[in-house]
Amino acid sequence: MRKVLTLSLIVVLFAAFKQPSNTSKANLILVDTNKLVNDGKVWAALYQQRAAEYRALCFQAYNIAKERIDEAVKKHNGKPLAVVTDIDETLLDNSPYDAQRALNNLDYDSKTWKEWTAKAIADSVPGAPSFFKYAASKGVMIFYITNRDEDERAATLKNLQLYHLPDADDAHLLLRQGTSSKESRRQQVLVKYNIVLLCGDNLPDFDALYDNKPSEETRMAATEKLRKEFGSRYIVIPNPSYGDFEGALFKFNYKLTPAQKDSVVRALIHKE
C-alpha cells in the first residue's frame, strides 16, 4: 500500500509540473483526490479480510443470535420458527471482488459482479455456517432473502451448499423479483412461520422503515425507533465496504463520478 501511495504521489507531482502556469490549484487537487472513495474501499476490504476485530464482531453477533434461538425455542408454542438471513456480507464474504474493483479505481458493476458470483467461491463470514447449522438443529427453518437476481440462483445455491448450509434449496432462497425491498418476501415467510430472528449487514434487511431510499436523517430516526430490536430480533453483521449507508451519503445518485463522490465525502466528514 505504501508503494502504491508513493507511486500516486509521483504521478501527481509530475502532473503538477506539466500543468500550464495558469492551471488552478483546484484542478491539481482533483488529480490527487479522485481515488478517495475507492482507496477507502480498499481499506474496508483489508479490514474484512485481515482484522481480528472484524472476526470478533462477527462471532459476537452470531453468539448473540445463538442465545436468541435458545430463548425462542424454549418459548415456542405456535407456528414453526424461522430465521431470515441476507447472504452477501452476512453469510458470504465478497471482499475479494470489492478489493479488485477498488484497487483499479472502479465502481461496482452488475456484469463483473455476476462474473464473480458465478464462480461460487466466496468464503463464509466468520461464525455464520456454525450458527445456521445450530439453528437448524433446533428445528428452526432458514430462509435466504437476497437481492441477487434470478440468473444468479444456481451459483448462489452452489456457494451456500459449499458450506453445507441448511435449507440451501430453491424453496428457501428468495431472490429479488422486481424490487429491492425485502418486505414482501418477509411477509411471504410469515404466512407459515414465526420469524424469530433476522440477520443482515444492511438495514433494509430488517425493516420496511429503511425502504424507498431514505435520507441519512430518516435512517437515523428509524434506527432510534427500532433500537430495542438490535441484538434482540435483529442481528447486524459489520460491512464497512458498501450498503445503503453509502447510497444515502450520495442521495442515491449512482451516476456520480469518483471525483464527485470524493467531494461529497470531504464535505460531510467531521474534521475537527
Side-chain angles (χ1 to χ4, degrees):
M1 178 61 73
R2 187 174 298 168
K3 290 181 179 178
V4 172
L5 292 174
T6 302
L7 180 58
S8 298
L9 180 59
I10 291 171
V11 171
V12 170
L13 290 173
F14 179 76
F17 282 114
K18 294 290 285 184
Q19 292 290 332
S21 58
N22 62 349
T23 300
S24 70
K25 184 177 179 181
N27 286 337
L28 294 180
I29 291 173
L30 277 179
V31 173
D32 191 21
T33 62
N34 67 2
K35 286 179 82 279
L36 176 65
V37 170
N38 277 332
D39 282 348
K41 288 180 178 290
V42 172
W43 281 101
L46 191 65
Y47 178 81
Q48 192 169 340
Q49 294 176 6
R50 309 292 295 187
E53 288 83 357
Y54 167 77
R55 195 172 188 84
L57 285 168
C58 294
F59 287 150
Q60 176 177 267
Y62 282 119
N63 285 342
I64 293 171
K66 183 179 177 181
E67 292 177 3
R68 299 297 172 262
I69 289 296
D70 289 341
E71 293 169 0
V73 169
K74 287 180 181 178
K75 297 177 182 177
H76 178 222
N77 59 5
K79 290 191 292 187
L81 305 181
V83 168
V84 163
T85 183
D86 173 55
I87 292 179
D88 297 309
E89 275 45 74
T90 300
L91 183 48
L92 295 181
D93 174 357
N94 300 288
S95 60
Y97 170 81
D98 299 326
Q100 190 275 336
R101 298 295 291 175
L103 283 168
N104 288 283
N105 200 26
L106 297 169
D107 286 332
Y108 163 90
D109 110 332
S110 61
K111 180 178 181 294
T112 56
W113 166 256
K114 290 183 179 181
E115 289 171 356
W116 160 254
T117 60
K119 296 177 182 178
I121 59 170
D123 199 357
S124 61
V125 167
S130 60
F131 165 70
F132 290 109
K133 291 173 185 177
Y134 179 81
S137 76
K138 296 294 183 178
V140 179
M141 198 70 69
I142 313 299
F143 285 89
Y144 305 91
I145 298 183
T146 173
N147 279 339
R148 290 188 178 195
D149 290 329
E150 186 61 40
D151 58 3
E152 296 174 90
R153 178 180 291 276
T156 300
L157 288 174
K158 182 179 179 181
N159 209 155
L160 296 176
Q161 292 163 0
L162 180 64
Y163 304 106
H164 307 289
L165 287 159
D167 305 315
D169 54 37
D170 284 325
H172 296 86
L173 176 61
L174 305 181
L175 298 154
R176 177 168 52 191
Q177 301 291 337
T179 176
S180 61
S181 173
K182 296 183 174 181
E183 180 61 18
S184 63
R185 285 171 281 172
R186 289 191 288 262
Q187 292 299 324
Q188 182 180 334
V189 175
L190 281 169
V191 171
K192 295 183 179 180
Y193 296 88
N194 177 17
I195 299 176
V196 295
L197 211 58
L198 296 101
C199 303
D201 65 289
N202 194 30
L203 293 176
D205 295 334
F206 303 102
D207 199 285
L209 286 176
Y210 297 103
D211 287 346
N212 302 316
K213 300 180 179 180
S215 66
E216 287 185 89
E217 293 76 16
T218 303
R219 298 178 92 248
M220 289 294 187
T223 303
E224 285 295 325
K225 181 177 181 180
L226 298 170
R227 64 188 304 170
K228 292 183 179 179
E229 300 287 356
F230 298 106
S232 175
R233 190 162 172 262
Y234 299 163
I235 301 297
V236 184
I237 307 301
N239 175 9
S241 293
Y242 66 90
D244 277 25
F245 82 91
E246 182 181 12
L249 290 177
F250 304 132
K251 300 187 185 304
F252 297 94
N253 182 356
Y254 298 112
K255 294 183 180 180
L256 292 180
T257 67
Q260 288 172 325
K261 289 182 179 179
D262 287 355
S263 295
V264 171
V265 171
R266 287 182 179 277
L268 293 177
I269 191 72
H270 288 181
K271 296 175 278 290
E272 294 181 4

